Amino acid sequence: MTSKTNKDSVHSLASLKLFHDLVTTARRRTGRLQKELADALSIDAQVLSRKLHGARKSFPTHAEVKQIVKVLADWEAITTRAEAVQLLSVMGLKAESFSEQDWVSAPLNKLELAPAQMSPSSTVPALPLVAQAVPLLPGPTTALIGREYQVELLLNQLQQDSVRLLTLFGMGGVGKTRLALEVAHAVQPAFADGVFFISLLSLREAALIPSTLVQTLQLNDPVAERSTDKQGPFSHEEVLKNFLRHKQLLLVFDNVEQIPDIAPFISNLLQSAQTIKIMVTSRVLLHLYGEYEFDVPPLTICTSDQVTNPAAFEQFAAIRLFIERAQAVNPAFRMTQHNAETISRICTRLDGLPLAIELAAARSKVLPLSKILQWLTDGTGQTFLRSTAHNMLQRHQTLQATLDWSYELLPPSYQALFRHYGVFVGGWTLEAAQAIVLPDNQPVDLADVLEQMEFLIDQSLVKRMRLDEMSSEENTEPRFHLLETIREYALGQLDAAGERAHVQRRHASYYLDLVERNESRLSGPEQLAAMALFFHEQGNLRAALAWATEHDENEIALRISSALGRFWEARMQFHEAMRWIDVVFNMHADSALTARAKLHMGAARLALWEIGYGRARELAQEALTLYDKAGNRAGRTWALFQIGDSWLMQGDYRSASPYLEECLRLLHEQEDWRNYAFTLSRLGALATLQGNIRQARLWLSEAMQLLREYNEPGVLIITLVTWGYSLLSRGNGVELLLSA
């Protein structure tokens, strides 16, 4: 049985899409959300969304169409009766759907009878045009996935009067052209004279742009008298300026990075035609005054290892794109419980780059997913990721070609800088760039480094890390990074130039100096800042250690791993720490005694955390021997403490006492009062556990005084607890209350 609502429904999906686009464009002019429109119609937002998209055979009724028109008029999202009639007509209604009383009553009475006409300037001579421009946009061949937020942002920007030049920039293969086309289609109703797409793919010279634009706008070149005393054909530039002078349209220039001198042309066009807007896609910024920049990001990837449900994986746009493109070559392809994690890792390995994901998905036709992931992981992915599609740009048919294109656009000096940045893992600071990347014979200050970095950022090769990716302690220290696919390419260029060994040695030397300079800060008032620094540099520190161990750089490996002991301990990265320490132990190094001793001490502390008391003592005893050979009294002191502490943790208080007491004596000699207080506290606890309360109170009393003086609240609290326990053990609760 057919209801009246269904009879009133509009069944043309094409008309519905146009209606939806018109309503969305009008709504966005006023900054209104679709939920607000649903509220005004007194229906649920999801129901309205289904009706505007024709989902589940649900369509707006005629009454709802009329109400939508009234709401838009009330919001002043439409301002003319012609716009209202267009909305009605698209949905199969006539102007007479509203009575004369409706048209002269609120809110429809706000609408002008006709749009204001713009009168051309009388001072500008008119040029004859044989043809009028007809907007024509290429149709998308695939669905746009995961770009809803970016589309919304770009539409909002284009509708702002102040935005006349909008540049979508990003690395090759990130999807700039596809995003621009989606925005261009969606924004068409906002431009009375249309939206035009101009591909500059085949051009290399700015001088050829005017004729290309004339052809795109379907304008004929008129031949007329310029004046009474000078004859000749009008130039393409004059034809364009005359035609565009009072037009309200959007020009979309695609692939502008390959034309070095295009910026002056675009600037001149905007100045001569002040009612047009221009959107460009490029790998580089134009650097024009008034240019609004939009950095096109990769698709979202899954960074969590905890996701196990395939449905949860599909919320990430990169994974959805992989699935769709894999199904295009293999309709039976499905994401399952077994392959979800592999798909996620492939997309993560490809940094969420749409081109790379599409190329990898196409390979799933002949390769198992595990093999694709293996090839991507071992560094051969850039060569096997290729497409045979005839309608794909040649430079997009392989990932290697796409990156070659960007690299070859760089001046030679910047090519060298870029490939050197490939040595960094997990990002870098300006200081690191100055120390590692720049040539020895070219001293520059940090301002020069920053300027060079900005150039590579503008080329869509280097990225600056967002503040929310960094801890608050380092917000003032900018960090930069390469996407992993770009970093691999840079390393390949570094190899090809024969520079990799030299740059990696500088990298390892810099990070050795960094950890040794900051090791002492891992305890004390600067601990949090030092921990944050080491945390952000973990990728580089691991890379430096790996290079040192692989190239038998024993001294560098030993010193870095020794300095990282307290960091690994504080972060409870016991497995990783012992793996590196075991590797270094197996290196036959003729290294400094103190460095070897420090490594043994770090290993001893880690063993203690894992309740390996005997192993901890064995390592600390070896450290004690090495410190004694080196004549290092400070090192001997802490080796003694470590041995005593291992006995204490094991519950053998009698064996622990002589080591801790000897440690206390050495600290007194060295006048290291902060650590002296810490050891007093530990001895006080030991004496309490042995039932020697008198001695315990002597040590604890002195410890509390020093800890207050040196502002050590954490150790002081533990000492007070021990003090209280010693008093309670003697039944002296009154004294405990008085001392609290």
Side-chain angles (χ1 to χ4, degrees), residues 252-440:
V252 182
F253 289 99
D254 189 40
N255 294 301
V256 306
E257 71 274 355
Q258 60 195 8
I259 306 177
D261 301 324
I262 194 173
F265 170 78
I266 289 179
S267 177
N268 187 36
L269 203 60
L270 288 168
Q271 291 175 16
S272 60
Q274 298 187 10
T275 56
I276 72 168
K277 295 192 177 192
I278 293 176
M279 179 168 63
V280 304
T281 72
S282 177
R283 301 189 190 189
V284 301
L285 293 170
L286 296 175
H287 291 292
L288 289 174
Y289 181 76
E291 178 182 26
Y292 283 75
E293 305 171 7
F294 190 92
D295 188 355
V296 179
L299 297 176
T300 56
I301 57 177
C302 178
T303 56
S304 172
D305 296 330
Q306 307 302 317
V307 179
T308 56
N309 182 2
F313 274 111
E314 291 187 22
Q315 67 181 299
F316 299 98
I319 294 175
R320 296 207 310 273
L321 177 63
F322 185 96
I323 295 171
E324 182 190 87
R325 302 316 301 151
Q327 289 175 343
V329 297
N330 178 13
F333 182 89
R334 294 290 183 273
M335 175 180 272
T336 67
Q337 188 82 25
H338 302 291
N339 67 16
E341 184 178 353
T342 303
I343 294 173
S344 175
R345 291 174 63 190
I346 289 172
C347 294
T348 300
R349 192 69 181 76
L350 294 172
D351 299 307
L353 291 174
L355 172 63
I357 291 170
E358 290 191 13
L359 295 175
R363 284 297 186 183
S364 69
K365 182 178 181 179
V366 294
L367 289 175
L369 296 178
S370 58
K371 190 66 174 179
I372 294 175
L373 179 60
Q374 178 189 333
W375 282 5
L376 290 174
T377 304
D378 65 19
T380 59
Q382 291 179 7
T383 55
F384 94 92
L385 291 180
R386 61 177 64 249
S387 171
T388 57
H390 296 296
N391 61 344
M392 180 176 280
L393 297 180
Q394 184 175 359
R395 69 170 186 262
H396 283 177
Q397 289 185 351
T398 70
L399 185 58
Q400 180 80 25
T402 299
L403 296 173
D404 284 341
W405 174 269
S406 293
Y407 184 69
E408 289 163 7
L409 289 174
L410 297 175
S413 61
Y414 279 95
Q415 287 181 348
L417 282 175
F418 163 70
R419 62 179 178 258
H420 288 181
Y421 284 125
V423 77
F424 292 104
V425 180
W428 65 87
T429 62
L430 291 175
E431 179 191 90
Q434 188 179 29
I436 299 169
V437 172
L438 301 179
D440 296 319

Side-chain angles (χ1 to χ4, degrees), residues 129-137 196 198 210-221 239-240 243:
L129 296 176
V130 180
Q132 289 294 319
V134 178
L136 182 63
L137 290 174
F196 298 85
I198 304 97
S211 60
T212 301
L213 186 51
V214 165
Q215 294 171 12
T216 302
L217 295 173
Q218 300 181 14
L219 306 177
N220 291 338
D221 297 347
V239 172
L240 287 173
F243 176 75

Side-chain angles (χ1 to χ4, degrees), residues 28 75 104 151 254 280 298 343 371 396 475 479 506 513 523 544 598 600 634 653 701 735:
R28 285 171 173 158
W75 288 349
V104 297
V151 169
D254 189 40
V280 304
I343 294 173
K371 190 66 174 179
H396 283 177
N475 280 352
R479 286 185 66 83
R506 294 181 65 165
D513 178 67
S523 58
K598 281 178 60 180
H600 280 79
Y653 309 137
S701 178
E735 186 176 350

Side-chain angles (χ1 to χ4, degrees), residues 474-486:
E474 286 202 321
N475 280 352
T476 57
E477 179 70 18
R479 286 185 66 83
F480 307 87
H481 72 111
L482 300 176
L483 295 179
E484 188 59 27
T485 47
I486 297 180

Side-chain angles (χ1 to χ4, degrees), residues 208-250:
L208 299 176
I209 300 175
S211 60
T212 301
L213 186 51
V214 165
Q215 294 171 12
T216 302
L217 295 173
Q218 300 181 14
L219 306 177
N220 291 338
D221 297 347
V223 180
E225 292 188 358
R226 190 182 299 271
S227 65
T228 57
D229 59 348
K230 187 174 182 181
Q231 295 183 345
F234 289 101
S235 68
H236 290 112
E237 289 87 345
E238 291 170 311
V239 172
L240 287 173
K241 289 178 181 178
N242 181 73
F243 176 75
L244 295 174
R245 183 169 289 114
H246 300 301
K247 290 293 189 293
Q248 295 180 338
L249 54 76
L250 172 68

